[in-house]
Amino acid sequence: MRFFLPVLFFIFSLSYGYEDFVQYEKGYYYVVITKGSFKNVNSKLLEEIRIQGWDVIHTINVDKTTKMKSPYKTHLLCKAKYLKEGVKKFRPIGVIIPCKMAIFVEGNKIKIMVEDVSEYADIYAPEDQEFKKFMLKVRDELIGILNRTAGRFMKSRYTPYE
């Protein structure tokens, strides 16, 4: 049994494309990509979002709005299946959707971030374990999008932020 659990976790992580690219800081998960242009990375990010069944319902061009010189976009995401399930678990879910994913240039690197949506369960319905499980599922899928996008550009693995 001691050997079986780590092997099972490893197989599970491979099947979902989870690697050690994602780091965590102050309520959000992120990846840092060191190779590739902003345009190409953003294109692959959008492709990965769609592959996972999410819709980009709007993109905020933060760079244009704030007259920044470097690219910065925030994509607002929704997954119809999760919205339908979420409304059944927590009727006021509309106050926390859509999910937000930002991509911007930081120095000579590209950073992609997603908020930790699982924290909403603790804020809005701390006693509701079903809603908490649901939000963890949404969070894990968003982290998976970050991992798979980073995996398209990097071969090495990150050490998680501590």
Side-chain angles (χ1 to χ4, degrees):
M1 185 70 165
R2 191 182 293 182
F3 175 74
F4 180 72
L5 287 177
V7 170
L8 183 63
F9 177 76
F10 177 73
I11 291 169
F12 174 79
S13 66
L14 286 178
S15 66
Y16 283 92
Y18 290 168
E19 298 182 37
D20 294 331
F21 296 122
V22 173
Q23 300 177 66
Y24 179 85
E25 185 177 317
K26 299 178 186 175
Y28 62 89
Y29 294 90
Y30 69 96
V31 293
V32 177
I33 299 174
T34 57
K35 296 179 180 175
S37 69
F38 178 86
K39 185 177 180 179
N40 191 27
V41 173
N42 188 52
S43 173
K44 297 301 181 192
L45 171 63
L46 293 172
E47 187 177 300
E48 197 59 55
I49 289 167
R50 289 183 187 100
I51 287 170
Q52 299 309 313
W54 289 77
D55 292 312
V56 176
I57 56 173
H58 185 69
T59 296
I60 301 169
N61 294 306
V62 177
D63 51 355
K64 289 182 175 53
T65 303
T66 62
K67 297 181 181 12
M68 294 175 67
K69 294 184 183 196
S70 59
Y72 192 131
K73 299 188 180 305
T74 299
H75 301 299
L76 306 180
L77 314 176
C78 190
K79 188 170 190 175
K81 172 184 158 189
Y82 286 165
L83 183 55
K84 184 176 182 180
E85 186 178 342
V87 166
K88 290 177 185 173
K89 294 182 184 318
F90 183 68
R91 186 104 175 130
I93 199 166
V95 298
I96 61 175
I97 57 168
C99 298
K100 293 169 274 312
M101 190 171 286
I103 177 171
F104 56 91
V105 173
E106 189 171 70
N108 61 348
K109 300 171 183 163
I110 298 167
K111 191 171 190 177
I112 308 172
M113 301 170 26
V114 67
E115 63 186 328
D116 183 356
V117 296
S118 66
E119 292 180 351
Y120 287 132
D122 293 331
I123 294 167
Y124 290 101
E127 71 292 338
D128 189 338
Q129 292 304 308
E130 282 299 308
F131 185 58
K132 186 175 193 101
K133 286 179 195 173
F134 169 72
M135 293 306 289
L136 287 169
K137 179 172 69 170
V138 173
R139 180 204 65 191
D140 289 347
E141 192 162 316
L142 293 169
I143 289 171
I145 291 169
L146 291 179
N147 268 317
R148 285 184 289 276
T149 302
R152 292 178 171 209
F153 295 93
M154 300 184 304
K155 300 293 182 218
S156 63
R157 295 175 181 228
Y158 277 95
T159 302
Y161 179 80
E162 297 185 54

